[in-house]
Amino acid sequence: MNKSVFLGTLAIAGVAAGAAAADGHAGGTLAQVQERGTLNCGVATGLTGFASPDANGEWQGFDVSVCRAVAAAVLGDPSAVEFVPTTGQTRFTALASGEIDMLARNTTWTFSRDVDLSFEFVGVNYYDGQGFMVPRELGVSSALELDGATVCIQTGTTTELNLADFFATNNMSYEPVPIETNAEAQQQYLAGACDVYTTDASGLAATRATFEDPTAHVVLPEIVSKEPLGPLVRHGDNDWGDIVRWTLNALISAEELGVTSTNVGEIGGSTDNPEIRRLLGTEGDLGAMLGLDADWAATAIGAVGNYGEIFERNIGESTPIGLARGLNAQWTDGGLLYSPPFR
């Protein structure tokens, strides 16, 4: 989600990111990850469907799958990941300082994060927008009826500025109730400390799905922002950025090309489609260009599935979260999902 509105914080973090990037480039993040034998991946502190530990303590979710795909591509093992929980306030410091190698934490791609904080967004894995959730008993059917409401909002996020803009534009007032994590927001909202919880619409759906009675809460129809969410790395190590970027692209292309976790082992050698063969390493030398094995993408897809499999397994319409593909459908199905070609 989301951008800090405190410019001083942005500037300080940007300097730190630049220094960390320079250090990371000198050793090379890829070499560091391979030497360490694990990928350090920053995720949310707990958001059902996106990143949260299961009953056995194993991290699962839509964003978690991106981390595991990169680990599979680089280390040949999707379980070779150290998941580092981060909040809206701590995530950028963790990446800038080198504590994590990449961040996959429903983070919005914005100008200031890309330029001022010196991070590199490798793509979009979920097209989202900010929404509002209220208890059904309030009888509210539109965000335009929220004048004077108390609003739970995560600090250090784009949500803060979007909220202020929306209420100012519509000549309404509100009282913010600042919170650090989604778990805290859920607790405060259910306890009645705020009338409204606002965050990315996907996050609202994920949170609502965990309630004892989800039907007692309504996600209002207004979407008040663009929130292109995606993984990011530090500026300064382009080779590592290429690996994370093209691993995400591989998951997206695999769905478009009909490559799945079940057929990936045989389709590369049996198909006449040159794009599939290049993607899976049975033709060309794309893996070598990244400093990886020829079957890097096949290993990633085999480990976590293609984009569609990841979506449906974690947040799709058959899950309690129940998200439709919408904008996140493939471009061939009217969505925005689109990978550059593998050639």
Side-chain angles (χ1 to χ4, degrees):
M1 296 178 295
N2 309 336
K3 174 190 79 179
S4 170
V5 296
F6 301 103
L7 296 181
T9 301
L10 290 177
I12 292 169
V15 171
D23 290 342
H25 187 65
T29 307
L30 173 60
Q32 294 170 12
V33 170
Q34 289 175 328
E35 181 179 0
R36 189 192 308 134
T38 56
L39 171 73
N40 294 333
C41 196
V43 293
T45 53
L47 183 61
T48 301
F50 285 87
S52 61
D54 62 16
N56 298 317
E58 291 290 323
W59 283 86
Q60 306 289 346
F62 184 77
D63 288 328
V64 165
S65 294
V66 176
C67 301
R68 294 198 186 280
V70 174
V74 172
L75 301 169
D77 181 1
S79 67
V81 185
E82 181 70 28
F83 291 100
V84 180
T86 63
T87 68
Q89 294 280 27
T90 65
R91 55 185 162 171
F92 298 130
T93 302
L95 182 58
S97 68
E99 179 184 357
I100 56 178
D101 305 307
M102 60 177 286
L103 180 65
R105 187 201 176 280
N106 50 317
T107 297
T108 302
W109 190 346
T110 69
F111 180 98
S112 59
R113 291 171 177 176
D114 195 319
V115 178
D116 193 32
L117 289 186
S118 296
F119 294 134
E120 185 91 18
F121 283 81
V122 302
V124 177
N125 71 331
Y126 193 94
Y127 290 94
D128 210 344
Q130 184 174 333
F132 303 89
M133 179 168 62
V134 298
R136 187 178 295 277
E137 64 183 15
L138 285 185
V140 172
S141 59
S142 167
L144 296 173
E145 302 171 27
L146 296 178
D147 191 16
T150 53
V151 184
C152 282
I153 183 168
Q154 291 189 51
T155 55
T157 66
T158 52
T159 311
E160 292 178 291
L161 184 57
N162 295 336
L163 180 67
D165 287 350
F166 176 75
F167 274 77
T169 300
N170 291 286
N171 297 312
M172 300 190 301
S173 64
Y174 68 98
E175 180 182 343
V177 179
I179 47 89
E180 282 284 335
T181 67
N182 186 68
E184 183 185 353
Q186 178 175 323
Q187 181 183 32
Q188 295 280 52
Y189 171 78
L190 291 176
C194 54
D195 303 312
V196 186
Y197 179 33
T198 184
T199 188
D200 297 337
S202 64
L204 294 178
T207 300
R208 180 175 177 269
T210 67
F211 291 168
E212 184 176 347
D213 181 10
T215 63
H217 305 270
V218 179
V219 177
L220 300 176
E222 287 85 1
I223 298 295
V224 300
S225 69
K226 294 184 295 184
E227 306 292 330
L229 310 179
L232 56 156
V233 297
R234 290 178 293 276
H235 270 175
D237 190 344
N238 293 338
D239 294 341
W240 177 246
D242 287 342
I243 288 171
V244 180
R245 175 179 300 105
W246 284 98
T247 300
L248 175 60
N249 286 337
L251 303 178
I252 294 171
S253 279
E255 182 185 19
E256 178 186 346
L257 296 168
V259 179
T260 69
S261 58
T262 55
N263 70 16
V264 67
E266 56 86 17
I267 192 172
S270 62
T271 182
D272 292 328
N273 185 320
E275 182 86 350
I276 295 177
R277 294 177 65 85
R278 287 191 295 267
L279 171 67
L280 301 184
T282 56
E283 178 178 311
D285 58 356
L286 300 188
M289 295 180 191
L290 291 172
L292 301 177
D293 294 338
D295 62 352
W296 64 278
T299 304
I301 297 162
V304 302
N306 64 35
Y307 180 93
E309 291 178 278
I310 294 168
F311 191 103
E312 293 307 320
R313 181 174 67 246
N314 292 291
I315 58 177
E317 292 182 292
S318 64
T319 71
I321 297 171
L323 293 173
R325 290 291 291 268
L327 294 177
N328 297 291
Q330 289 279 344
W331 67 285
T332 49
D333 295 324
L336 298 179
L337 211 62
Y338 190 107
S339 166
F342 279 76
R343 63 172 66 117

